Amino acid sequence: MRPAFHETSNVCFAVLLCAMVSGLSAFAIPDGQSPIDARLDADGRTFTVVVPGTIAFQAGYSAQIEFDGHPLVLSPDSSPRQPDTARSSESTPLGSAEVATTTCSFGDARVDLLFRLGVVPGVSGVIAQAGIRNNGAKAVKFVSSTPVALAGQLAGNPSTWLATALFERDPAAAMKPAALAVSDIVTPLSIHECGTLYRPDGNGFLFGPIGTPIAYVNTSLSHFKDGKFMLSVSADMGSVLVEPGETRWGQQVLILVEPPQTAVARWTDWVAITHGALKSPGAMSGWNESNTAFHRKDATKELPAAVDVVRTAGGRLRPQVIRLNDPLAGVLAAEWQPAAVMLTAKAGARPGVRLDPGGEIGVITRYDTTNITGAVRLAVQRGFRDLEIASPPPDMPAPDGRRTSFEHSRDWWTAIRKAAGADVHLMCNDNGPNRAAVGLVDACRTGAETGLDFNAAIRNMFKSLHLQGRWFTVACEEYHLKPVGGSPSDIKNGWPMIRTWISMVGLSCGAAMTSDPWYTDDFTPYWRNIEVLTPPATEHPFAPDMCIDRTWTRLVGQVHREWGDWTVVLLWNSEASEAPVRLDFAAAGLDPERNYAVWSFWDNRYLGVARGSWTTPSLASGDSQHLRFTDLDRAPGKPVVVGSSLHIYCGAAELESVTALASAMEIQLTDAGARDGDLFVYSRQQPVLRNATGCAVSSITAAGENVWRISIAGRRQNETQRIELDIRLPFTRQLWFWLLVSAAMAGLLFGVWRYIADLRLQREYALDRERTRLARDLHDDLGGDLSSIAMLSDLALPHAGDSEAVSGKLQEISTISRDTVRRLEEIVWAINPANDDIERFAVYFCKVAQTYLELAGVRSRFDVPDQLPSRPLTSTQRHNLFLAAKEALHNSIRHGKPKEVTIRIALRDDNLVVTIEDDGAGFPESTTLSTGNGSVNMAARMKQIGGTFERRSQVGRGTVVVFSVPLGGA
């Protein structure tokens, strides 16, 4: 086991707390560059960390050495001189950090205590590191460094603050809850490597190692009355020798004051970069022969049986790796080893072997790598491409005393990797995450054996989720289909717990290995549970309760694809009694304002639509709901896949692509998952199979309101698998229906238009006939009578004698009659439809104008085209234009006294333009239309027919009047 936290460090910590003082620093990271303020206090012996509105604490630093065989604590307060401070910068994965370095000298031991404090701009965290420099003539032993030793006051109720150990140091003796209330800490709590201190609202911080790999880190957390606490983070240097003139630094640590999900991800990525984590090859699934619980007696029979069942299972069993157990089977020494490798290869799996340095290969002590590296090379030479290194030796320093236990552990894994080569899949089986193996192994076991109680394994799995694909592939303890030789009821909480554990293994996206004897008849009904885990998905799930709750009962995996997003959630009851579990959509990254289809994996059933939150029914202890939530508001009107029983991740692994239209859908599958199963599609109309390639669709049935179950069978491996569906739209949404409706509407509109047009033509024809009749009657009857009156007056005039009165009256009757006849002729001309064109208007107006000007004794000039186009001019237009032009002539003669009047008629830009120009007296330009002279009437007439009226005049230079009428009607 790794060494426990040294009690001497606690003594040092107590001394430091007594020496802490308040005050501002002589050195401070520049303001405005980081959300955290980290300051060395005025004397350089302590430092202060402040995150406005979140946290503030004062801390010290120290180191423990062994000098001349005696332990010695180096702390700034015991140094006779005030520390020297220098400022520098340091490159980090998140940018350049501003760093302050202090040096405290201890004359008697001739040793300097070194300390570095810094922040990275934009990151709400502080980095700290402590070390020593040997200035003497003798070597000293570096026992430990403590870069952070702080005392603080917890805000609010201490029972709401939770301490979480993210790395279980001893999985078998793990604390029962996932997190422990600070108020429940009676004796100092030891946390290995990385831990957190948070309230349920997310306020708090994370602490853990970063930077160059040097040493394991241990933290001691103590709680006192009234919410006071002490926290000391120390690096275990293992009493390494520091020679004269040599400087040795302890492990750098990081304190992140950010929400748990952000802080854990940032710390994980930081370590992955500084430790050179390998690019994840992806998790694998398969069969492991190494579980000794099965008490196998003859591995030479079990392996062929496992291979035979894989080859005859019709593609249902597709292990990516088959791993043998060397100590029990003696694979490397057995004569049948070549056959074992070939058998495994025939099953389409990677041949693997479990090597145990503490087993029959020979006990390894003090990091003697000779035996293990020799076994690794031999295994690789004989064709094994998957190696599990079980039970690494305990952490202990090297014989030369120059390397920490961490460094020697890393050297050990480096030697194994070199012996195995880069293309061999290497797994560390250390019953917990080992930072020393980062960058050297492809996978790491992160939990204890499940046995008959899965609770400890579940806690370990939750705490290692953030490592998946970042440090290495997470290898949870094996899943089980059922206990060997027994029934699911033999396991604590029975089949519900087995089902929950299978879900957790699958949703972790880590390795999915089992030791179950697939080849026995009683396991055949459980094969489907193997299929749905093959191969593991590649998502990154998280626990919303991480570090902010005592028990973590929610596991969330968000899936993002081009064709849509969905969320897979596992809600399990970790309590001893029956209870429901609630999921808040906002906490799970779902939009609480949207509608989500809810589908249950183990029930293979659509449960309905949820909004804002979801609460399970009351679940038995250990039972769970494995659900998929699919956003229905993203693409309204289009079909959406809302569930899949083919793979444990409900579509993330087995769906290659989905193309959805309102009337059709195409689903392309990968080889992942079960050969038979169901897809669930949300569609207001029933999907109908058009074509299936590489598989068969046995039925499409209703599975709920607007939800359809598409049952798939016989998925053929290594072939394109595609399902094409048509969506039975109602006839009101069919194209042909709307084309028919459009055609009918077009026909109806055309008929109505023709009817209205016919009515208009008939009305216009009747009106023209009436206008013709009226013009004829006026002309023939009334015009004739008036002409007769004028003629009789003329005949009676010579017989009037000398009576001047009678003679005058007869003359007046004759004049009025002739004027009336002339005006009547104008009216008859205006209403006669035969005159409805511009040419007849021009002829008639010029005739009237010429007669009128001759009677007035004024010369007339006409500028009219020889041929005017035959364009219609309505009676209303002719009548108003004629009267307006006549009014203009009248005004010209009456007011201008011209000698000559010019009349121009032209067609311009589809407008009939009549211009009357005289050389009369004119009038001022400032004269408005409202000043008389008939201008108001002329303007009103032109406005009535949509035309324009313009008048230009100057005194002594005549007047120009222009009328413009748009052709086509008013």
Side-chain angles (χ1 to χ4, degrees):
M1 299 302 297
R2 300 185 181 99
F5 178 78
H6 295 283
E7 289 189 348
T8 315
S9 296
N10 282 333
V11 175
C12 166
F13 180 48
V15 173
L16 286 172
L17 289 177
C18 294
M20 286 185 181
V21 295
S22 61
L24 298 178
S25 68
F27 165 79
I29 303 302
D31 292 335
Q33 295 188 13
S34 176
I36 195 168
D37 186 15
R39 302 170 178 265
L40 284 170
D41 293 324
D43 58 3
R45 300 177 188 271
T46 55
F47 63 93
T48 302
V49 175
V50 178
V51 179
T54 302
I55 197 169
F57 59 80
Q58 191 175 43
Y61 54 93
S62 67
Q64 182 181 350
I65 66 171
E66 187 176 319
F67 178 70
D68 281 341
H70 301 286
L72 177 63
V73 175
L74 306 179
S75 62
D77 61 287
S78 60
S79 174
R81 294 175 51 191
Q82 182 169 324
D84 297 326
T85 302
R87 184 171 175 175
S88 62
S89 62
E90 175 184 331
S91 178
T92 76
L94 301 182
S96 180
E98 296 289 337
V99 177
T101 303
T102 66
T103 303
C104 298
S105 299
F106 297 84
D108 293 342
R110 301 292 303 277
V111 175
D112 291 340
L113 171 63
L114 310 177
F115 176 69
R116 306 170 72 240
L117 174 72
V119 297
V120 179
V123 179
S124 187
V126 58
I127 55 179
Q129 189 175 21
I132 66 171
R133 179 187 299 119
N134 186 359
N135 298 318
K138 297 180 181 180
V140 298
K141 291 184 178 181
F142 193 1
V143 179
S144 66
S145 68
T146 304
V148 177
L150 67 88
Q153 174 73 46
L154 298 175
N157 188 347
S159 63
T160 64
W161 284 86
L162 300 174
T164 304
L166 290 179
F167 282 30
E168 293 293 4
R169 182 164 179 184
D170 183 5
M175 62 178 86
K176 286 297 181 183
L180 186 67
V182 174
S183 58
D184 293 337
I185 298 175
V186 179
T187 60
L189 175 67
S190 180
I191 297 176
H192 177 63
E193 287 281 74
C194 182
T196 66
L197 192 62
Y198 279 102
R199 291 191 317 196
D201 61 3
N203 277 314
F205 59 93
L206 171 146
F207 44 89
I210 56 168
T212 304
I214 296 175
Y216 290 111
V217 170
N218 299 286
T219 298
S220 177
L221 176 62
S222 300
H223 173 249
F224 305 98
K225 294 180 179 180
D226 301 325
K228 292 182 173 61
F229 75 100
M230 295 190 304
L231 184 141
S232 176
V233 184
S234 299
D236 174 22
M237 299 304 294
S239 297
V240 296
L241 292 176
V242 181
E243 300 293 341
E246 184 181 5
T247 297
R248 286 295 301 261
W249 287 95
Q251 184 66 57
Q252 190 177 54
V253 300
L254 172 70
I255 295 180
L256 279 175
V257 188
E258 297 178 320
Q261 298 293 340
T262 304
V264 171
R266 193 189 300 278
W267 172 77
T268 304
D269 290 338
W270 196 318
V271 172
I273 295 172
T274 56
H275 288 50
L278 300 176
K279 183 178 180 181
S280 176
M284 292 191 294
S285 60
W287 183 73
N288 189 352
E289 185 260 348
S290 66
N291 194 327
T292 58
F294 296 151
H295 302 291
R296 294 182 172 83
K297 296 180 180 180
D298 192 348
T300 62
K301 294 181 180 179
E302 291 166 346
L303 175 62
V307 171
D308 283 345
V309 75
V310 169
R311 298 179 66 184
T312 58
R316 295 186 63 187
L317 302 179
R318 305 184 312 282
Q320 294 172 292
V321 60
I322 292 180
R323 187 179 297 148
L324 304 178
N325 187 0
D326 185 77
L328 295 179
V331 175
L332 297 183
E335 295 180 356
W336 65 279
Q337 175 272 330
V341 173
M342 286 191 295
L343 278 172
T344 304
K346 285 183 179 180
R350 178 189 295 244
V353 64
R354 180 178 185 266
L355 303 177
D356 191 346
E360 294 181 2
I361 293 178
V363 177
I364 298 176
T365 60
R366 302 188 66 80
Y367 286 91
D368 180 0
T369 63
T370 303
N371 288 343
I372 184 61
T373 55
V376 167
R377 279 191 291 267
L378 181 58
V380 173
Q381 289 171 4
R382 294 187 174 180
F384 292 98
R385 291 294 177 266
D386 176 89
L387 304 180
E388 175 186 346
I389 310 300
S391 304
D395 296 330
M396 59 181 62
D400 61 4
R402 299 287 302 162
R403 308 280 281 170
T404 67
S405 60
F406 180 93
E407 290 171 322
H408 277 289
S409 180
R410 198 161 175 80
D411 292 342
W412 197 77
W413 285 110
T414 300
I416 293 175
R417 170 54 75 185
K418 184 177 180 180
D423 61 339
V424 171
H425 186 270
L426 193 60
M427 174 180 166
C428 165
N429 187 341
D430 201 11
N431 287 336
N434 190 345
R435 183 169 54 92
V438 175
L440 300 168
V441 300
D442 301 291
C444 183
R445 179 166 164 176
T446 56
E449 291 186 2
T450 55
L452 298 179
D453 187 352
F454 289 91
N455 287 305
I458 287 175
R459 286 195 300 272
N460 296 335
M461 188 275 287
F462 265 122
K463 293 181 178 183
S464 63
L465 283 175
H466 59 284
L467 304 177
Q468 168 59 30
R470 288 185 168 101
W471 283 14
F472 29 57
T473 294
V474 168
C476 304
E477 163 58 3
E478 297 164 337
Y479 68 90
H480 300 291
L481 305 183
K482 75 182 190 69
V484 176
S487 67
S489 61
D490 295 332
I491 291 179
K492 184 178 180 181
N493 297 324
W495 172 248
M497 177 59 80
I498 296 177
R499 187 173 63 181
T500 297
W501 176 241
I502 291 175
S503 290
M504 290 191 171
V505 170
L507 296 187
S508 74
C509 294
M513 301 290 294
T514 184
S515 299
D516 293 313
W518 297 353
Y519 39 81
T520 61
D521 292 340
D522 57 345
F523 272 86
T524 304
Y526 300 98
W527 279 4
R528 196 171 195 285
N529 293 337
I530 304 171
E531 293 183 84
V532 298
L533 291 169
T534 307
T538 58
E539 309 304 314
H540 290 283
F542 67 95
D545 308 317
M546 188 176 191
C547 307
I548 60 173
D549 202 332
R550 288 172 177 263
T551 57
W552 304 352
T553 60
R554 288 162 274 263
L555 181 60
V556 177
Q558 296 174 335
V559 183
H560 302 285
R561 297 293 186 269
E562 291 182 0
W563 65 85
D565 303 334
W566 66 91
T567 301
V568 181
V569 177
L570 184 69
L571 306 174
W572 79 292
N573 177 20
S574 62
E575 302 295 333
S577 58
E578 188 176 283
V581 182
R582 183 178 183 273
L583 177 73
D584 180 79
F585 280 10
L590 302 175
D591 188 342
E593 301 301 321
R594 288 179 172 266
N595 295 300
Y596 291 87
V598 186
W599 178 82
S600 174
F601 176 79
W602 289 111
D603 299 325
N604 197 28
R605 186 162 61 94
Y606 169 69
L607 302 183
V609 178
R611 185 185 180 97
S613 66
W614 174 266
T615 301
T616 70
S618 192
L619 300 173
S621 178
D623 199 2
S624 61
Q625 270 197 329
H626 181 148
L627 306 172
R628 167 173 161 156
F629 294 86
T630 308
D631 186 355
L632 296 178
D633 297 335
R634 171 170 172 163
K638 293 183 180 180
V640 181
V641 175
V642 297
S644 169
S645 67
L646 295 173
H647 192 274
I648 198 81
Y649 229 96
C650 310
E654 72 275 28
L655 292 182
E656 178 71 26
S657 65
V658 176
T659 303
L661 303 173
S663 60
M665 189 177 204
E666 180 181 290
I667 303 172
Q668 187 157 335
L669 303 172
T670 69
D671 261 345
R675 300 300 88 187
D676 304 331
D678 300 315
L679 295 177
F680 288 74
V681 172
Y682 185 95
S683 172
R684 296 188 180 278
Q685 310 303 326
Q686 181 176 2
V688 178
L689 179 66
R690 183 198 309 163
N691 187 42
T693 305
C695 62
V697 174
S698 58
S699 64
I700 300 177
T701 56
E705 185 178 3
N706 300 326
V707 175
W708 309 90
R709 181 200 306 260
I710 303 172
S711 298
I712 302 172
R715 296 175 62 199
R716 297 193 287 275
Q717 197 171 356
N718 300 323
E719 291 187 26
T720 299
Q721 300 175 22
R722 183 169 54 250
I723 300 170
E724 300 171 50
L725 304 169
D726 289 325
I727 307 300
R728 282 183 174 174
L729 298 177
F731 69 89
T732 56
R733 296 182 61 188
Q734 299 281 1
L735 178 61
W736 63 265
F737 172 78
W738 288 109
L739 290 175
L740 182 61
V741 169
S742 299
M745 289 297 297
L748 178 62
L749 292 175
F750 180 75
V752 172
W753 175 80
R754 285 297 305 269
Y755 177 73
I756 294 175
D758 288 345
L759 287 179
R760 181 180 295 173
L761 289 174
Q762 292 176 17
R763 187 181 67 177
E764 290 179 354
Y765 178 69
L767 182 60
D768 287 348
R769 289 181 58 189
E770 184 63 20
R771 287 169 59 195
T772 302
R773 184 192 64 78
L774 181 60
R776 185 176 61 250
D777 291 348
L778 287 174
H779 181 272
D780 294 345
D781 296 338
L782 186 57
D785 291 344
L786 289 173
S787 297
S788 297
I789 293 172
M791 183 181 66
L792 291 174
S793 298
D794 291 341
L795 292 175
L797 188 60
H799 302 286
D802 295 332
S803 174
E804 292 183 0
V806 174
S807 177
K809 291 298 183 180
L810 291 174
Q811 182 66 41
E812 185 178 353
I813 291 172
S814 177
T815 301
I816 292 173
S817 298
R818 286 184 173 85
D819 289 342
T820 303
V821 169
R822 185 171 59 254
R823 287 194 296 273
L824 182 61
E825 287 179 352
E826 293 175 0
I827 295 172
V828 170
W829 174 82
I831 66 174
N832 192 342
N835 299 320
D836 287 349
D837 61 53
I838 61 176
E839 183 178 8
R840 290 179 179 272
F841 168 80
V843 171
Y844 183 77
F845 178 68
C846 290
K847 175 183 175 183
V848 172
Q850 184 177 18
T851 301
Y852 182 76
L853 293 173
E854 286 179 353
L855 292 175
V858 177
R859 291 193 305 271
S860 60
R861 297 181 62 184
F862 297 92
D863 184 3
V864 181
D866 293 337
Q867 288 187 344
L868 287 169
S870 181
R871 297 288 300 277
L873 196 65
T874 66
S875 60
T876 302
Q877 289 176 311
R878 287 189 297 110
H879 182 65
N880 283 280
L881 179 59
F882 176 80
L883 293 178
K886 185 177 177 183
E887 182 74 18
L889 283 175
H890 176 74
N891 289 341
S892 177
I893 299 301
R894 181 180 178 185
H895 301 289
K897 310 297 183 184
K899 296 179 179 179
E900 183 179 270
V901 174
T902 301
I903 297 175
R904 298 183 179 88
I905 300 178
L907 194 63
R908 299 175 189 168
D909 299 328
D910 212 32
N911 286 268
L912 178 61
V913 180
V914 177
T915 304
I916 300 174
E917 182 179 354
D918 66 51
D919 59 357
F923 49 87
E925 289 185 352
S926 59
T927 303
T928 64
L929 294 179
S930 61
T931 57
N933 300 331
S935 298
V936 174
N937 290 335
M938 288 187 284
R941 289 187 182 278
M942 298 310 296
K943 183 178 180 180
Q944 183 179 353
I945 59 176
T948 61
F949 162 73
E950 181 184 2
R951 185 185 65 186
R952 300 189 300 271
S953 181
Q954 290 185 357
V955 176
R957 295 188 179 182
T959 302
V960 178
V961 179
V962 181
F963 303 96
S964 179
V965 179
L967 299 179

